Every structure is written in structure tokens, then in C-alpha cells.
Amino acid sequence: MKEISENGHVMGTKPSLAGLIKSDGKLALEKVGINKASTFTGFCSAHDKNIFSPLEDEKITLSDKQLFLLAYRGFCRELFHKEQNKETANLMKESDRGQDQMLQAMLQGYAGAYDSGVDLALRDLGFIKKEMDSILVSEDYSKINHCVFELDATPKILVSAMITPEMDFQGNELQRLGLQNEVYEYVIFNCISYENKGCFVFSWLASNEKHCDRFIESLLKLDNVQVSDALVRFCYSFSENTWASPSWWNSLSEEEKNSIGKRLMHGTPMENHPPDCLVDDGYRYKAMSINKRELRVSEKT
């Protein structure tokens, strides 16, 4: 995070009820101190050091082990926050006290949909955790796939998140959310910086080949410049854990900032993800420079 910070700050969102009320329910990028940005306390310091030492203390070579640990840390963060979201869902159910009947109905509708989505995610993450923990212990990295984009300079944005791909980069539907009997496929994505360069990595379990493979294939149809812009669209549409360089943000035009601002609302109770949200919007964000790509997948048997 320090690599893209300026005066100890990065650009990002820290959603809060008070902030949403102040901004009429709209999310916006603001300066956030790096100590408050992307804080994850899911591990004690001893376990964090023990598990992630090859990623934190060794030279980044993008080995199979390092790529897995990068994905594993992103997965653990997602699980940690989904468990917190369950507590938020319970609070939302109590938030209508004292409100008029119409507002109570609206709030309960939001709370019910949110709670149902969290329950589905926690169910799926429980399945994934068993597989990820098995890989961690056995060090059998053939069970997880990666798509790696190497960057020849420090990226202007950093991210770590995990999502269910709903559509691909050409706007084709992949998975429809909210189906109780559907076990969803997930992709983990990270953008990190090191040695004045960086990488953007997608990771997914080899068993999640039906939809995740199609998602990645659609991205690989684009050239490197197109991928760079597609990744910005993707990050701001799908992850609140996206952090940007203040000078990069300030260099964008008002139209580009407005486009990103609209993406911050995607996937919120106020707005679903538009089917074409990953399709080229004509803006060139210049947030990263890709010089190499690699698809690292296990052989299908």
C-alpha cells in the first residue's frame, strides 16, 4: 500500500451509514490513511507470519506457492468479512424501529435480501475453505489455477477480493445470483506491487471450470492495453477493497471519475451489476502497464 500512497493516504471508500446519509446514498472515493485501508485482522501475528512468510519475506518470483498464498490470503479476508456481514445483516433487521410502515417494509426487504445473499456466500465459502485448507497442508498446487498479468511498473491501483463472476468481459451471463440450490463458482483476484513493478492475478479452484474458465477466456481475448482498462472497470464494479494512487485519481478527467463513481454503486442494495458493466466503456484509465501474461492451469483429466 505504501508504494501508491502519498503523504500516507490512498484513494478508496470506507462505507458507513453516516457517510451514506450525508452523500444521499452515493459512494465516492476519498482519501483514506493507509493504516485504515484494507485492514485484515483475521489471523494473529504468529499465524500470519508462519503462513505467509514465503510471500512477505522472500523475493517475489510468482512461484506456484506464492500465487496460492496470495489467493489464500484473499480468500481468508473474504471469509472474515462475510462473517462480519452476517452481523451487519442482523443489525439491518433492527434498523426499522420507529420508522413509518412504508420505510419499515423497504428496510426489511433490503435486510432480507442482504441476509439471504450472505447465507448463500457463507455456505459456498465453507466448501471452498475445505479445498483451500487441503491445498495449504498438502502443498498440491495443481488444484488451483491462475491467470497472471505481470506489470512493468508500479500499478496505480491495488486490490484484493473474491467474487462470483456474474458476467464475462463481453457481457455474456455466467452465473445468476440468489438461487438457493446453486453452488456458485468464485474467482479470487489480487493486484500487488513489488520492486517497482507488480502483477494482477486471478485465481480459482481447478474444479470451478464451468464458469471461471469462461470468465478468464473472455478477458484473454483482449490485448494488453484493453485488459488494463478492463481490470479498472472490473475492480471498481466488484470490489470496495480497491485502493488508488491520489495523483492517478487526480489525473483523471471528470468523465472518467464519474464513470468510476457510478461503478462504486454496482452490487449494492441500490443497484445490481448491469449486464454490460465489464464491456469497454471507451475510457482509457492508464492504471497499469502489462508486459506479460500467463495462464497457469492444471491439466484436465
Side-chain angles (χ1 to χ4, degrees):
M1 194 72 70
K2 288 182 180 180
E3 292 87 347
I4 65 168
S5 68
E6 295 169 18
N7 298 318
H9 290 78
V10 290
M11 301 299 297
T13 60
K14 276 292 191 182
S16 67
L17 182 58
L20 288 173
I21 292 174
K22 184 178 179 180
S23 61
D24 295 324
K26 301 294 185 182
L27 293 173
L29 292 192
E30 57 183 318
K31 282 190 176 182
V32 179
I34 59 174
N35 292 329
K36 294 182 178 180
S38 194
T39 301
F40 171 53
T41 56
F43 292 101
C44 70
S45 58
H47 280 96
D48 187 84
K49 179 75 171 177
N50 182 52
I51 294 173
F52 299 109
S53 178
L55 196 58
E56 299 291 345
D57 302 327
E58 299 177 13
K59 180 181 175 65
I60 298 296
T61 61
L62 303 179
S63 65
D64 288 343
K65 184 171 188 174
Q66 286 181 332
L67 291 181
F68 168 75
L69 290 176
L70 190 62
Y72 187 71
R73 185 165 61 185
F75 165 76
C76 290
R77 178 193 174 278
E78 183 68 15
L79 180 59
F80 175 78
H81 284 286
K82 276 293 183 287
E83 290 171 343
Q84 286 188 321
N85 288 349
K86 183 62 179 177
E87 297 178 12
T88 301
N90 293 332
L91 290 174
M92 288 174 67
K93 292 178 180 178
E94 304 295 326
S95 67
D96 64 344
R97 290 181 179 177
Q99 304 295 335
D100 64 63
Q101 191 171 1
M102 183 177 295
L103 183 57
Q104 282 184 337
M106 184 183 72
L107 290 173
Q108 285 299 317
Y110 282 150
Y114 184 82
D115 190 39
S116 177
V118 171
D119 284 341
L120 284 175
L122 286 172
R123 179 202 65 184
D124 292 346
L125 293 180
F127 298 143
I128 296 172
K129 186 176 187 301
K130 291 180 181 179
E131 293 198 54
M132 295 292 279
D133 287 347
S134 174
I135 297 172
L136 178 69
V137 173
S138 68
E139 298 189 337
D140 181 2
Y141 303 121
S142 66
K143 295 180 180 179
I144 188 167
N145 296 333
H146 308 283
C147 180
V148 184
F149 295 97
E150 294 187 45
L151 314 176
D152 58 16
T154 301
K156 304 302 183 183
I157 65 172
L158 301 177
V159 67
S160 179
M162 177 179 181
I163 59 111
T164 302
E166 299 176 50
M167 67 287 293
D168 67 17
F169 287 88
Q170 279 76 50
N172 301 304
E173 183 181 73
L174 296 176
Q175 299 178 98
R176 187 170 298 177
L177 302 186
L179 303 178
Q180 295 288 334
N181 297 323
E182 184 79 11
V183 177
Y184 292 98
E185 297 183 8
Y186 289 76
V187 63
I188 305 162
F189 54 102
N190 289 276
C191 186
I192 63 171
S193 62
Y194 56 94
E195 299 175 0
N196 296 317
K197 53 185 178 180
C199 66
F200 197 113
V201 185
F202 288 96
S203 305
W204 65 103
L205 291 171
S207 57
N208 285 187
E209 62 182 7
K210 181 179 179 181
H211 301 296
C212 290
D213 283 10
R214 286 176 56 199
F215 175 76
I216 296 299
E217 287 167 2
S218 75
L219 180 61
L220 292 176
K221 291 178 181 178
L222 308 178
D223 65 35
N224 286 347
V225 173
Q226 292 172 325
V227 168
S228 171
D229 295 322
L231 294 178
V232 174
R233 297 194 298 273
F234 172 71
C235 288
Y236 281 113
S237 288
F238 282 91
S239 175
E240 81 287 351
N241 194 38
T242 301
W243 304 97
S245 155
S247 60
W248 171 76
W249 174 251
N250 291 332
S251 73
L252 299 179
S253 68
E254 286 304 312
E255 290 81 6
E256 290 164 340
K257 289 179 179 178
N258 289 337
S259 175
I260 288 175
K262 291 177 182 178
R263 293 181 181 281
L264 298 178
M265 301 304 297
H266 292 174
T268 67
M270 284 72 79
E271 183 179 351
N272 292 327
H273 287 102
D276 62 349
C277 68
L278 297 182
V279 176
D280 195 339
D281 58 7
Y283 294 117
R284 299 295 167 254
Y285 299 102
K286 299 179 181 178
M288 60 192 77
S289 175
I290 299 169
N291 65 356
K292 183 179 179 181
R293 59 173 73 185
E294 179 186 6
L295 184 61
R296 204 176 297 186
V297 300
S298 59
E299 293 185 7
K300 293 180 174 63
T301 57

